[in-house]
Amino acid sequence: MSSILQQDAYAPTLIEPRWQAEWAAAGLYAVDTAANDDRLPFYCLSMFPYPSGRLHMGHVRNYTLGDVVARIKRMQGFNVLQPMGWDSFGLPAENAAIQKGVAPEAWTFENIDYMRGQLQRLGFAYDWQREVMTCREDYYKWTQWLFLQLYKQGLAYKKEAPVNWCPVDQTVLANEQVIEGRCWRDGALVERKRLSQWFFKTTAYADVLLDNLDTLPGWPERVKTMQKRWIERSYGSRVKFIVRRLAQPAAEFGARDGAQGNQGAENDFIEVYTTRPDTLFGVTYLALAPEHALVDKLTTPEQRDAVLAYCEAAKNKPEMERVAEGKAKTGVFTGGYATHPLTGEAIPVWVADYVLAEYGTGAVMAVPAHDSRDFEFANTYGLAVREVISSDGKSAGINSEAYTAYGVLLNSGAFNGLDSESAKTEITKSLDDRGLGARKTQYRLRDWLVSRQRFWGAPIPIIYCPSCGTVPVPEAQLPVKLPAAVDVDFKAKGKSPLASVEHFVNTPCPSCGGPATRETDTMDTFVCSSWYFLRFVDPHNTERPFDPALIAKWLPVDQYVGGIEHAILHLMYARFFMMALADAGLTGSISNQEPFKNLLTQGMVLKDGAKMSKSKGNVVDPDEILKTYGADTARFFILSDSPPQADFDWKDSGVEGCFRFLQKVWRLVVDWQPVLDLTLPEPDLATLSGEQKAVYRATHQAISGISADIENAFQFNTVVSKLRELVNALSAMPKASDAEVCASRSFAVATLIKLLAPICPHMAEALWEKLGMFARTGSIHTQAWPSANPAALVPDALTIVVQFNGKLRAEFTASPDASKADLEASALALPKVQSLLAGQSLVKTIVVPGKLVNFVIKPA
Ligand code: ANZ
Ligand code: ZN
């Protein structure tokens, strides 16, 4: 007896490895992306991981969500591509090299091997034939190739610029990697440095990146809002103020570029960007960023020391601090003046660090009466405040704060009386006539700085030749291989480790053959991850990064799943790449050049309400869960309780409960097995009654509810609860009699297994096999997703009796959910009731839903 029980018990540790091996051997999840297939392609992608060492629960949640979507779509008849790979360049590998002396490559591959094993033990339906690793030559060769295509299009360029320098990582960071003045990785205060660096011209796509967001209904609003704020377009004007008094150039300031402005001595001008040209007559001073090219020219000898000191101090102030609201605004007078373009008045020019060098033109026309920062600044330094806007065009005075709203102009010459909106147009037009201004659209988005002074990344394929200048590495010479780690000095401070490897650095110029040197910076790893989703479609191509025809067939990714932390960085870079590559003709014809059609951003995994962290000691190790309960329980649990988009709270009691539930499912099927025949056709509703009908109906209600929850933004938590309801309803049935096979129960079990299959793939397959179906029809994962029979969802009609003073007089049928008012109206509509009521006076009507309508009458 006990041996039979054991044999029939749910044993994930036996089931799971067995089916994983069988699926792999059968190539169940392999896709031929090039083959003709009757099914529609469906590309389901989860963000590939960095091989940090081990999976954490956040990975488990992310990849379970993606996997369940992929499996459902496959059952729904799509040709599903679900690949996996490794974002395997990056700093931790290099830090391991520095701290432990292991080669980054060895460290990385060891981690990949371990984590791949974990993913396999979780039973994800990946096509492992397509695995890519961004750190391998067969991948980074194409990252370099793509860099060269961007270079050819003028979308990759080098310039000296003030950059964000992380003193801990000893490398520059992109703007997107600086969060509140600190490094996104280690939180170190970021310093400003001037370095010559490579950039990708993301700003060339600013409009498309912004406008296309409105063509992505499948993206969360939150992500779109974050991207919109990051790109931020404003409409305004550029205005020129001719410089009046030129001081002798002060050599101490050195040559500066970057900030705009005419450098020619003859008609130097300060160009400003303003969103409020309607306030032009209120300008009382100009403010230049400390880095502005004209600072030295404008500074008078008397002011030189003060200005120099001020600019020096501003250099290292983080941008956040410079612009933060509430921080006192500081500045210094240059001694110089510029001419107001319409009034001809002399306007003093100041240097102020609240003006940022890289935004607009790096210079501001200050209007203290109508801009809060300028107001504060003017008060601090005793500068004039001139009111030029009020609500009605009459002076209201500017007292304790700036009037920043739109309104009607005053003190503005010919423009008095105009409202702000038309004044903007008119004033800009008047400036344009004089060649002193024009409309200008401005973006907050800046170009993407891609140079990194690191070893473990894709080398930038550029050579510098003393006679030919900057020479791209010829495509035939790709990849530019990373040298062996033993040759590298990883601790070289402030410069690229690659610069320490002579045989890497020195190379003949591809153009003249003379001695030349290689670029020693590597690319930001976000470059590698900006195109991996394209490589997955064609991962073994040795001729090119991917075949455009395959991209046209498989892209955009139908469902992308990943963390909200990538809302700006990765998602925007990938969109930029897609657009640039599409314009270079590399992607075939995909409709709006967007890489990801639908995006699901999952919430965090917490432990008992707190963030999991090593320091709190509350990290749940996926390996432990796998060992104790198996993958199916882990998968089932992580989908329960919260919708995918919300945070999920891990509770040990919750896992335990899920495990018991799966045991219950197993037992139910084992108990019923004698009366099951899954080859029977679905029963006909019309022939069913009693218990059979109840089972049949519960089954269809589950199909319908679960399918709707999936359509509705993948609400898997309610899918899980509906599966529980179905199982509870079935378990409450009287014990099946061994005598006869029951079509309803057979149908119910077949359906339950199918509905369970995407979430608990191993258990579903094991039960499918146990009931003899695997041998007949193949894997459960190749079966069709069940569809609900609408007739089974309509509840049976009930008979309602109609009474007069408690005596039965008529009957009619109604749906069980008909309201009191419905029932009363139906009763009143009956001819019999109408004739009985004629000439009587109705005292009241009593309605008992589902039962009766009683008219209380009094003879007239
Ligand atoms: C005059 C003015 C009057 C302004 C007024 C505002 C209000 P957004 O909307 O973010 O594009 N500005 C321009 N360049 C700047 C820089 N490099 N650093 C700091 N501030 C800069 O902001 C544009 C406004 O920010 C511009 O319009 C300019 O101030 C300031 F009643 O010009 B305004
Ligand atoms: Zn040369």
Side-chain angles (χ1 to χ4, degrees), residues 465 467-469 471 509 511-514:
C465 168
S467 23
C468 311
V471 184
C509 167
S511 154
C512 70

Side-chain angles (χ1 to χ4, degrees), residues 234 273-275 279 354-356 359 364-365 370-371 373:
S234 64
Y273 171 70
T274 177
T275 46
T279 65
Y354 74 84
V355 182
L356 300 175
Y359 187 72
V364 168
M365 60 176 232
H370 304 292
D371 179 276
R373 289 177 306 180

Side-chain angles (χ1 to χ4, degrees), residues 207-373:
D207 278 321
V208 204
L209 285 169
L210 190 63
D211 295 338
N212 264 13
L213 289 170
D214 293 327
T215 69
L216 297 172
W219 279 43
E221 277 312 317
R222 181 169 164 219
V223 173
K224 289 192 275 190
T225 305
M226 286 166 85
Q227 294 217 352
K228 282 181 184 170
R229 290 216 181 106
W230 189 259
I231 300 167
E232 199 175 87
R233 177 168 51 203
S234 64
Y235 299 100
S237 302
R238 289 212 170 174
V239 185
K240 288 176 182 174
F241 290 74
I242 308 283
V243 169
R244 283 218 163 183
R245 177 178 161 190
L246 289 182
Q248 280 297 98
E252 299 96 302
F253 291 96
R256 287 191 173 82
D257 65 6
Q260 291 89 338
N262 190 324
Q263 317 265 341
E266 260 143 51
N267 49 358
D268 270 339
F269 55 80
I270 295 169
E271 189 168 30
V272 303
Y273 171 70
T274 177
T275 46
R276 296 291 306 272
D278 55 317
T279 65
L280 185 59
F281 286 77
V283 174
T284 57
Y285 66 99
L286 297 182
L288 303 181
E291 299 86 353
H292 196 281
L294 288 176
V295 171
D296 52 350
K297 286 201 174 176
L298 276 154
T299 302
T300 56
E302 309 80 67
Q303 290 299 97
R304 183 160 306 151
D305 289 346
V307 171
L308 248 185
Y310 183 81
C311 292
E312 199 48 47
K315 239 191 217 165
N316 277 328
K317 236 199 227 179
E319 189 172 305
M320 264 296 288
E321 231 166 274
R322 284 170 55 161
V323 299
E325 214 132 314
K327 285 258 159 69
K329 303 283 172 288
T330 63
V332 59
F333 181 42
T334 61
Y337 291 84
T339 304
H340 190 287
L342 296 186
T343 66
E345 196 187 342
I347 308 285
V349 182
W350 286 64
V351 178
D353 68 8
Y354 74 84
V355 182
L356 300 175
E358 297 113 273
Y359 187 72
T361 60
V364 168
M365 60 176 232
V367 185
H370 304 292
D371 179 276
S372 315
R373 289 177 306 180

Side-chain angles (χ1 to χ4, degrees), residues 541-593:
N541 200 325
T542 53
E543 305 292 312
R544 45 191 174 171
F546 37 74
D547 178 349
L550 293 181
I551 300 303
K553 178 174 170 189
W554 286 92
L555 270 284
V557 169
D558 294 281
Q559 184 63 55
Y560 199 25
V561 186
I564 187 77
E565 67 275 18
H566 292 299
I568 294 176
L569 294 146
H570 162 62
L571 289 170
M572 189 140 64
Y573 294 150
R575 296 179 64 219
F576 160 74
F577 248 72
M578 195 72 193
M579 290 166 187
L581 300 185
D583 283 349
L586 294 170
T587 58
S589 52
I590 75 157
S591 56
N592 65 351
Q593 307 185 353

